[in-house]
Amino acid sequence: MKALCIRKGVHLFNEKRIVRMRTPPFRCLFCGSEHGPFNSVEHPIPESMGNDDTVVPKGFVCDACNQYFGSKLEKQIMASPPFNVERVRASIKTKKHGFSKYADDGLILLSHGFWDHALCAMSPEKYKTVFQDNQGVLWVNTPPNYIILLARFLIKMGLELLVLSDTLDVYSSAFDKARRCARFGEGSISWEVAYGRFHKEGDLAISKRFDEHGPLETRRIYEYEMGCMLPNGECQLVFNYLGHCYACNLSKPSLQEYIGKFNFQMEIGSGLMLPGT
Ligand SMILES: [Zn+2]
């Protein structure tokens, strides 16, 4: 039997900082409201991506913004490739602890608890398309304006992870453009996102051992890193989910100065996603 252990993000803060950041300002990071209500903890990385322990405490994100991000951004991003298909392939459980499912026109993929295995049901027409015309390659569709949604999703994630890292003041005016882009879509049409494949598939496995049920693998699910670019102090988020690596700048829409280094680190095809496509 092959089971799955989830490796969590690498946190870049220490105990002292955690304690300090747990005194929330009760001022919304995104809309600026000081009236809240602030009854929700916020997950920078959606629970349906496998995050069950990295949360921003109450008092940083108001309930209205929390609900907006859940229903208007994360829901669409999680229902789109690569996340929807990869979650099934890796048997990442849903927020309600069920197995993930992908359904498209004439095709259903179901995870069943094993890494890299999925139950597949498709119509004869779909079978012909996938296995004869496309030689086993599954092409999936993204919604309109996917890159814009993705940019806003990554910015929202990055600002919230910045709260936890406490390396920079996330309430600084330096992040005003980013917060308005994430929450209200302002400037989102020109906010750049970089994408690459990193790690190689085989490198996602971290360890293998045997327990009483048989072989057990621990595999890398997601990682993130907050980068600070000197001398201008710009801050970037790099987020890797099952080998799909994304980067965006939290300080301004352009990622051009950073992309050279980012591309250098990628081993497989990488590139800058053009906004608005
Ligand atoms: Zn708010």
Side-chain angles (χ1 to χ4, degrees):
M1 180 180 128
K2 198 158 63 168
L4 174 69
C5 292
I6 295 178
R7 178 180 168 98
K8 300 299 179 185
V10 180
H11 298 246
L12 300 177
F13 52 90
N14 59 35
E15 288 296 323
K16 190 177 170 188
R17 282 176 174 160
I18 293 174
V19 171
R20 188 152 69 84
M21 286 311 291
R22 283 185 181 166
T23 305
F26 289 92
R27 177 178 152 211
C28 181
L29 174 60
F30 295 101
C31 72
S33 169
E34 295 182 345
H35 304 295
F38 294 95
N39 295 318
S40 311
V41 293
E42 175 72 18
H43 289 76
I45 298 159
E47 291 173 272
S48 51
M49 280 186 151
N51 171 29
D52 58 5
D53 62 359
T54 300
V55 296
V56 176
K58 293 177 185 177
F60 289 94
V61 181
C62 77
D63 291 356
C65 288
N66 174 289
Q67 287 160 18
Y68 176 85
F69 288 132
S71 62
K72 303 296 183 189
L73 278 185
E74 293 176 358
K75 193 173 176 185
Q76 294 180 67
I77 289 294
M78 295 310 297
S80 307
F83 302 118
N84 55 358
V85 177
E86 292 289 11
R87 281 171 63 224
V88 172
R89 185 171 74 91
S91 285
I92 306 295
K93 292 199 171 180
T94 65
K95 192 173 171 179
K96 295 180 179 173
H97 308 294
F99 285 127
S100 310
K101 173 183 166 184
Y102 169 83
D104 198 356
D105 182 30
L107 171 71
I108 295 174
L109 297 175
L110 289 170
S111 56
H112 60 126
F114 293 83
W115 181 278
D116 227 2
H117 289 71
L119 301 173
C120 180
M122 64 179 87
S123 65
E125 294 77 23
K126 193 74 177 182
Y127 183 90
K128 183 174 176 297
T129 305
V130 171
F131 288 101
Q132 292 175 15
D133 298 345
N134 293 335
Q135 301 179 322
V137 176
L138 174 64
W139 291 93
V140 286
N141 300 315
T142 52
N145 297 325
Y146 176 71
I147 304 303
I148 289 176
L149 290 175
L150 184 64
R152 296 177 63 196
F153 170 76
L154 292 170
I155 294 167
K156 175 257 177 195
M157 179 192 294
L159 291 178
E160 291 180 353
L161 290 173
L162 210 51
V163 171
L164 299 178
S165 70
D166 193 29
T167 49
L168 294 170
D169 176 17
V170 73
Y171 287 92
S172 157
S173 60
F175 300 111
D176 283 353
K177 275 188 183 172
R179 74 181 97 248
R180 286 199 297 269
C181 178
R183 179 61 177 88
F184 304 109
E186 289 179 25
S188 57
I189 198 158
S190 58
W191 213 284
E192 295 172 347
V193 174
Y195 171 78
R197 292 286 288 162
F198 178 79
H199 312 270
K200 289 178 180 171
E201 187 64 29
D203 295 337
L204 292 175
I206 294 167
S207 67
K208 296 180 182 180
R209 64 184 174 87
F210 281 80
D211 66 6
E212 66 273 24
H213 302 294
L216 179 70
E217 285 190 16
T218 299
R219 292 204 175 220
R220 205 184 301 266
I221 301 299
Y222 63 75
E223 293 171 307
Y224 59 83
E225 188 173 355
M226 308 299 300
C228 202
M229 201 166 169
L230 296 174
N232 58 14
E234 289 182 5
C235 186
Q236 294 88 25
L237 166 72
V238 178
F239 177 65
N240 191 316
Y241 191 75
L242 293 165
H244 297 268
C245 191
Y246 300 90
C248 77
N249 196 342
L250 302 178
S251 305
K252 64 182 184 185
S254 173
L255 198 56
Q256 299 286 343
E257 299 152 58
Y258 184 64
I259 196 68
K261 186 180 171 194
F262 183 77
N263 275 340
F264 181 72
Q265 292 174 342
M266 300 299 105
E267 295 182 18
I268 311 175
S270 61
L272 189 67
M273 284 184 171
L274 295 175
T277 55

